[in-house]
């Protein structure tokens, strides 16, 4: 049998052990053991020096006035919307992670989903503009996989139409737009420090902003909105970051530039090795931007590639390569959002086009060159044999309609 036969057609899998989609970028136990021991015996496990020091380091690095540490990006987004005391509608993308929209609905605000740009995958400013009504209170935009949305256009819309502008910057610690860091735009930006994101605390989030008044509301908001005298100022919550998480993030933030640089290298290696594969294209990151490549995704044009994104995911699984359909289904099609589904003419065609055709492939900071090459070799040989794979898949689907399951096997994304 030919060496270049894909595993799905009976060839030998490229990898012996499964390549994960991602791995946390973090220092090891040795780097924190001394501080951890001191921290545990100090008796101060929350609201202590490491949270304060993480906030200072993050604000310095991002060149922003205020950074407020919280328990996660979701709680940070919820608190920002709450602290701004908004009412009415919030315009947001559907091509994003569900937490962006959850934060809106938890606050009793109405989500208004708009379409994305098919090249950058970010919210389309033209669609934002068209969706503004007298009820619009805010726009929430996401950095998709670390790629900044069109900041210039969004800031202009927010200014002209007098609405708040908030960013789900979960993927974007270390991203740039022009010469400005992610974290310096809009009324507030919210980062995630969970294990799959570029800066890792274990679980955690960071809200960055310029207004000292809003920063104060967030600081009390993460503490039930109790300013210290038990006279709560609004309906807050417990969204404090534990000291242990802050300690880990303090250590990891020291290496953030190396982390992003390495991720950029891996991404450009992927582009180099996959550029000539028929039917593969990449997310467009404008040259004046920097992406963290929280994820690296391929856009699969099924006619040119020979099989679709789902079948490619299945064929890669046979090669022991993990993939994920970020973000599918898009938020407006998820069960929880049935009430807020856009109707009529505009059914978010670009969102559907992107959500149905992109596939995230493995990218983690300590990835080896041999892993990148092996993944690209697998994609190449799958594409070269796409017609045969497609025939096999059709035959299987016909012979066992019950387990239409060739695709079923890669069905909904499992948790991390
Ligand atoms: C991970 C993620 C979140 C949620 O972050 P948590 O810290 O887990 O709450 C929100 N938005 C996007 C786009 C994400 O990828």
């Amino acid at each position: 049998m030919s060496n270049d036969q894909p595993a799905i057609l009976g060839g030998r899998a490229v990898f012996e052990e499964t390549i994960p989609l991602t791995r946390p970028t973090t220092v090891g136990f040795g780097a924190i053991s001394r501080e951890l021991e001191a921290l545990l015996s100090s008796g101060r496990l929350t609201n202590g020096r490491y949270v304060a020091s993480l906030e200072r380091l993050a604000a310095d690095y991002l060149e922003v006035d205020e950074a407020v540490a919280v328990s996660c990006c979701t709680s940070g987004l919820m608190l920002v919307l709450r602290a701004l005391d908004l009412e009415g509608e919030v315009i947001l993308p559907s091509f994003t992670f569900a937490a962006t929209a959850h934060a809106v609905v938890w606050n009793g605000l109405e989500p208004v989903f708009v379409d994305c740009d098919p090249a950058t995958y970010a919210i389309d400013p033209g669609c934002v503009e068209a969706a503004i009504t007298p009820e619009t209170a805010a726009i929430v935009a996401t950095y998709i996989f670390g790629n900044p949305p069109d900041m210039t256009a969004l800031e202009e819309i927010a200014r002209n139409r007098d609405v708040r502008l908030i960013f789900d910057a979960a993927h974007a610690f270390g991203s740039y737009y022009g010469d400005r860091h992610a974290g310096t735009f809009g009324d507030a930006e919210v980062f995630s420090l969970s294990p799959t994101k570029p800066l890792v605390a274990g679980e955690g989030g960071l809200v960055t902003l310029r207004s000292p008044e809003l920063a104060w509301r967030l600081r009390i908001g993460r503490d039930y909105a109790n300013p210290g005298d038990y006279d709560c100022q609004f309906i807050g919550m417990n969204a404090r970051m534990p000291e242990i998480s802050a300690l880990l993030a303090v250590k990891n933030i020291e290496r953030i530039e190396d982390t992003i640089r390495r991720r950029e290298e891996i991404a450009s290696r992927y582009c180099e090795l996959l550029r000539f594969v028929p039917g593969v294209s990449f997310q467009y990151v404008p040259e004046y931007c920097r992406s963290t490549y929280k994820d690296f995704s391929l856009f699969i044009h099924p006619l040119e590639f020979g099989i679709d994104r789902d079948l490619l995911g299945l064929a890669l699984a046979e090669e022991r390569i993990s993939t994920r359909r970020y973000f599918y289904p898009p938020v407006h099609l998820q069960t929880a959002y049935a009430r807020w589904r856009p109707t009529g003419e505009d059914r978010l065609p670009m969102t559907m086009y992107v959500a149905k055709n992109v596939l995230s492939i493995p990218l983690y900071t300590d990835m080896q060159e041999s892993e990148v090459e092996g993944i690209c070799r697998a994609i190449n040989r799958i594409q070269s044999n796409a017609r045969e794979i497609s025939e096999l898949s059709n035959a299987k689907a016909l012979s066992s309609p019950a387990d239409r399951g060739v695709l079923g096997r890669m069905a909904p994304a499992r948790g991390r």
Side-chain angles (χ1 to χ4, degrees):
M1 178 168 6
S2 148
N3 207 6
D4 251 14
Q5 195 74 341
I8 196 170
L9 295 178
R12 193 160 146 203
V14 171
F15 294 102
E16 278 178 16
E17 295 201 10
T18 300
I19 302 289
L21 188 74
T22 181
R23 284 157 46 86
T25 308
T26 183
V27 296
F29 179 66
I32 61 162
S33 57
R34 232 168 12 95
E35 284 103 326
L36 184 58
E37 190 163 18
L39 166 58
L40 292 174
S41 48
S42 74
R44 182 119 201 149
L45 299 185
T46 194
N47 284 343
R49 57 182 281 213
Y50 289 109
V51 164
S53 125
L54 175 63
E55 290 180 342
R56 211 163 37 242
L57 288 168
D60 285 351
Y61 171 78
L62 299 172
E63 301 177 291
V64 64
D65 298 330
E66 302 275 358
V68 180
V70 288
S71 57
C72 63
C73 175
T74 310
S75 62
L77 286 166
M78 288 164 67
L79 277 174
V80 165
L81 295 169
R82 178 60 52 104
L84 286 169
D85 206 12
L86 303 179
E87 269 174 50
E89 297 173 355
V90 174
I91 296 171
L92 75 167
S94 171
F95 190 73
T96 181
F97 185 59
T100 321
H102 286 1
V104 171
V105 177
W106 267 92
N107 276 289
L109 296 158
E110 289 288 313
V112 177
F113 294 106
V114 301
D115 217 353
C116 68
D117 180 290
T120 64
Y121 312 159
I123 195 168
D124 181 332
C127 299
V128 171
E129 181 90 58
I132 291 190
T133 73
E135 303 306 312
T136 306
I139 302 162
V140 179
T142 303
Y143 293 73
I144 305 293
F145 311 143
N147 194 21
D150 185 342
M151 296 297 184
T152 309
L154 292 172
E155 289 201 318
E156 192 181 319
I157 295 169
R159 202 168 40 241
N160 292 344
R161 311 299 292 262
D162 192 26
V163 297
R164 300 298 192 153
L165 181 60
I166 297 136
F167 293 95
D168 178 339
H171 300 180
F173 200 97
S175 293
Y176 270 90
Y177 180 85
D179 57 4
R180 280 167 67 189
H181 278 276
T184 61
F185 293 88
D187 293 282
E189 301 210 41
V190 189
F191 298 95
S192 172
L193 277 54
S194 80
T196 62
K197 314 291 160 98
L199 175 63
V200 170
E203 292 289 354
L206 275 168
V207 183
T208 56
L209 61 163
R210 281 165 292 186
S211 150
E213 157 73 15
L214 186 58
W216 179 77
R217 287 174 67 79
L218 282 160
R219 281 178 207 287
I220 66 166
R222 72 179 170 190
D223 219 3
Y224 322 103
N226 166 20
D229 59 2
Y230 295 91
D231 178 18
C232 289
Q233 301 295 298
F234 55 94
I235 310 296
M237 65 168 111
N238 176 354
R240 298 186 299 259
M241 181 188 285
E243 281 285 283
I244 294 178
S245 298
L247 166 60
L248 197 56
V250 160
K251 294 294 176 182
N252 285 330
I253 204 174
E254 282 172 20
R255 307 191 311 176
I256 190 71
E257 277 302 306
D258 290 343
T259 298
I260 311 299
R261 219 167 292 130
R262 179 68 192 128
R263 301 180 76 87
E264 286 187 296
E265 266 169 33
I266 298 166
S268 56
R269 193 73 185 118
Y270 268 137
C271 292
E272 220 171 276
L273 293 172
L274 296 173
R275 196 161 36 151
F276 298 115
V277 181
V280 172
S281 61
F282 310 105
Q283 181 185 27
Y284 171 60
V285 179
E287 53 297 343
Y288 51 87
C289 293
R290 179 168 86 169
S291 173
T292 58
Y293 292 101
K294 184 266 169 191
D295 288 288
F296 187 84
S297 78
L298 303 178
F299 191 106
I300 303 300
H301 306 263
L303 291 180
E304 292 100 308
F305 191 82
I307 56 175
D308 65 14
R309 172 279 302 269
D310 288 340
L311 201 43
L312 171 61
L314 187 68
L316 285 171
E318 297 295 317
E319 308 285 357
R320 303 210 180 88
I321 298 166
S322 309
T323 61
R324 196 66 66 80
R325 301 186 295 184
Y326 283 138
F327 298 102
Y328 188 89
V331 182
H332 76 286
L333 293 186
Q334 295 176 21
T335 305
Y337 288 89
R339 276 177 58 193
W340 294 284
R341 225 161 261 169
T343 51
E345 296 271 301
D346 183 12
R347 299 286 186 102
L348 313 187
M350 290 307 151
T351 298
M352 296 313 299
Y353 175 66
V354 176
K356 282 186 172 164
N357 292 300
V358 294
L359 188 68
S360 293
I361 60 175
L363 196 161
Y364 38 93
T365 311
D366 58 355
M367 211 167 168
Q368 303 302 305
E369 170 67 18
S370 60
E371 295 175 318
V372 176
E373 283 171 5
I375 291 165
C376 294
R377 185 157 70 85
I379 293 169
N380 263 294
R381 74 184 192 184
I382 289 166
Q383 195 284 321
S384 306
N385 292 275
R387 202 160 53 92
E388 206 177 325
I389 295 171
S390 171
E391 280 163 9
L392 175 81
S393 144
N394 288 339
K396 274 200 179 161
L398 286 180
S399 67
S400 54
D403 80 357
R404 267 196 65 84
V406 192
L407 305 185
R409 273 164 61 192
M410 73 163 290
R414 266 157 276 145
R416 42 170 165 267

